[in-house]
Amino acid sequence: MKVKSYRADFPILMRDVKPGLPLVYLDSAATSQKPEVVITAMDNYYRSMNANIHRGVHTLAEEATAAYESARAKISRFIDAGSTREVIFTRNTTESINLVAYSWGRKFLKDGDVVILTEMEHHANLVPWQILASEKNIKLEFIPVSDDGLLDLAAYKDLLKLEPKLVSFTHMSNVLGTINPAKEIIDLAHLAGALTLVDAAQSVPHFPVSVKDLDADFLAFSAHKMCGPTAIGVLYGKENLLTAMPPFMGGGDMIRKVALRSFSPNELPYKFEAGTPAIAEVIGFGAAVDYLSGIGMENVQAVEEELITYAMEQVRQFPQISLLGPDAGSKGGVLSMVMDIAHPHDVAQILDQHGIAVRAGHHCAMPLHTRFQVPASTRASFYLYNTPEEVDKLMAGLAHVIKLFS
Ligand code: C6P
């Protein structure tokens, strides 16, 4: 019943993919759909208060600045940050991680330092460190992933003996769905003297996350995966760390004072927000956080747990399909499938003919697919607006694929 009422909040879910073929959207790990309240908040900004922020003294500029900063306060509360100074707006998770690599990494990492990542990282938490490693001779080490899709914590404890400077890991895998024991990983890193960065792109949208409880040093996520707009994300960082870091980009708003040959940076969080920001998107992000808070993240998580448990049970009827990742108890709402008889792109195309949107490919996690010796997979991913009936439709679509290719 509850899901039915959530669904009504998302205008796009009313559409047909083709006449008479309703949309079954199972690609929320790529990007979620947007509720009416988010669309309205952005529309309202452009219709009634469009102005640049932090610069003007006129009414529109003051209203826009207040709306922008009030969104920051909501997001700060949503992740339980200590203060709004710890919430930096970026374009997305990718930019947040790059910010840490370019600013903190360039200043604080030196020749021979070790950074620990995992084998299940999205490219966003691999490539920035590879770029830095090629510039500064940093050593990258990887926590291995077991056959059932879990991190090998014994191997992690061994890697910590290398005295790493940073442990950067995904909270939830976008392919395996594995929810990693973030608190344990962070506590162990701190005991070994390392800082931590949590890629929370797939966790903050799906279950309650408190940066305070986790004691995360940095945490990155994107609005577009949590009912918000594209091109806006957050880097959370502990205030003392952000204070010690140099600016990432230079320009307007991030300065306190500028002379022809020098500048002094602005205070937090503005030091890391150069140029005119994505104002409408931040306001939309604030509305998304209000929306999710109204539902309660525990309820979002409960819907997804029910769906993934049901989907895992149902998909077992097909011996032709093998799954990547752990059992339902250790994972979020992500079902990644491999079929020997059909390429993931063909599977996704046939499912599309049934109105079902899934993602096919390596999902920006090529090394993880290499680890499982498959080039690609077909991924269905769930969110608060999905229903068991949609899981049934997915199963009917998969049965059709198997019939066609057998
Ligand atoms: N994963 C997916 O289909 P951006 O693109 O910056 O908003 O998010 C990057 C990112 C980082 N980490 C994880 C764990 C992610 O899942 C993603 C985005 C999408 O799986 C798009 S590739």
Side-chain angles (χ1 to χ4, degrees):
M1 278 313 284
K2 267 192 188 158
V3 170
K4 284 228 168 73
S5 79
Y6 305 152
R7 284 181 74 78
D9 298 332
F10 294 80
I12 205 169
L13 298 181
M14 313 300 152
R15 73 161 276 186
D16 288 347
V17 175
K18 293 187 190 91
L21 194 61
L23 170 66
V24 177
Y25 188 75
L26 301 181
D27 198 17
S28 294
T31 198
S32 74
Q33 294 303 345
K34 322 302 174 198
E36 186 77 53
V37 282
V38 168
I39 300 165
T40 305
M42 295 175 73
D43 186 66
N44 183 45
Y45 161 73
Y46 281 123
R47 285 179 192 280
S48 71
M49 67 176 101
N50 177 54
N52 212 328
I53 56 162
H54 300 148
R55 291 157 170 85
V57 289
H58 56 78
T59 302
L60 294 188
E62 281 180 0
E63 285 180 12
T65 302
Y68 180 90
E69 290 304 333
S70 127
R72 194 194 307 273
K74 289 172 191 175
I75 294 157
S76 172
R77 283 194 296 274
F78 190 72
I79 57 164
D80 202 14
S83 112
T84 50
R85 289 187 297 281
E86 298 182 320
V87 174
I88 313 290
F89 286 124
T90 61
R91 275 191 310 148
N92 44 39
T93 306
T94 304
E95 188 173 292
S96 298
I97 297 173
N98 274 276
L99 194 164
V100 178
Y102 277 81
S103 171
W104 179 84
R106 281 234 173 84
K107 179 155 179 193
F108 293 105
L109 292 178
K110 48 183 196 320
D111 220 27
D113 279 347
V114 172
V115 170
I116 295 184
L117 308 170
T118 84
E119 279 182 346
M120 63 168 80
E121 295 313 309
H122 186 280
H123 299 162
N125 195 30
L126 283 173
V127 181
W129 305 111
Q130 293 171 352
I131 293 171
L132 197 63
S134 69
E135 282 174 19
K136 298 197 80 166
N137 191 29
I138 286 153
K139 292 200 185 98
L140 303 181
E141 298 289 344
F142 299 89
I143 308 174
V145 174
S146 67
D147 289 344
D148 49 5
L150 301 172
L151 287 181
D152 179 343
L153 292 183
Y156 172 47
K157 287 176 192 160
D158 276 344
L159 287 173
L160 287 173
K161 292 179 189 147
L162 300 172
E163 299 181 5
K165 290 287 186 301
L166 179 74
V167 178
S168 187
F169 66 98
T170 188
H171 200 171
M172 177 173 136
S173 164
N174 64 324
V175 176
L176 308 172
T178 314
I179 299 174
N180 288 317
K183 175 108 188 96
E184 189 181 350
I185 294 171
I186 291 169
D187 286 349
L188 287 166
H190 286 165
L191 278 176
L195 294 180
T196 52
L197 188 160
V198 182
D199 173 350
Q202 300 289 354
S203 61
V204 168
H206 298 286
F207 51 88
V209 173
S210 158
V211 290
K212 217 172 274 162
D213 285 353
L214 288 177
D215 198 18
D217 298 294
F218 299 106
L219 184 133
F221 56 103
S222 303
H224 70 95
K225 294 191 199 289
M226 49 190 290
C227 300
T230 51
I232 188 70
V234 159
L235 172 68
Y236 160 83
K238 283 184 181 161
E239 191 167 340
N240 62 323
L241 297 172
L242 293 173
T243 302
M245 285 159 55
F248 172 42
M249 287 190 280
D253 225 23
M254 54 68 68
I255 48 81
R256 193 191 298 276
K257 214 169 159 206
V258 184
L260 279 180
R261 294 183 194 280
S262 63
F263 75 96
S264 55
N266 206 342
E267 61 186 7
L268 290 174
Y270 314 111
K271 179 169 95 173
F272 293 108
E273 292 178 8
T276 299
I279 305 166
E281 286 74 10
V282 165
I283 291 169
F285 195 178
V289 158
D290 278 344
Y291 177 74
L292 288 173
S293 304
I295 288 169
M297 290 309 291
E298 299 81 5
N299 293 327
V300 172
Q301 185 174 19
V303 170
E304 291 179 33
E305 270 174 11
E306 206 173 298
L307 288 168
I308 190 68
T309 305
Y310 181 58
M312 301 267 291
E313 272 166 27
Q314 291 302 308
V315 80
R316 291 216 171 88
Q317 67 184 284
F318 303 115
Q320 300 86 346
I321 297 178
S322 51
L323 300 178
L324 299 177
D327 284 338
S330 321
K331 68 187 281 176
V334 170
L335 187 74
S336 288
M337 301 168 281
V338 180
M339 277 191 220
D340 286 341
I341 53 170
H343 190 277
H345 285 131
D346 295 328
V347 178
Q349 231 155 32
I350 293 162
L351 291 177
D352 183 56
Q353 288 164 13
H354 291 248
I356 302 168
V358 296
R359 185 169 172 190
H362 52 63
H363 318 306
C364 300
M366 285 174 91
L368 181 62
H369 281 82
T370 306
R371 152 72 186 85
F372 284 97
Q373 295 175 322
V374 289
S377 55
T378 308
R379 183 188 68 186
S381 53
F382 307 118
Y383 209 13
L384 70 159
Y385 37 66
N386 291 122
T387 63
E389 292 74 36
E390 290 181 310
V391 173
D392 293 339
K393 286 184 181 175
L394 172 67
M395 297 305 146
L398 291 169
H400 185 206
V401 172
I402 289 167
K403 198 168 153 215
L404 283 178
F405 283 87
S406 293

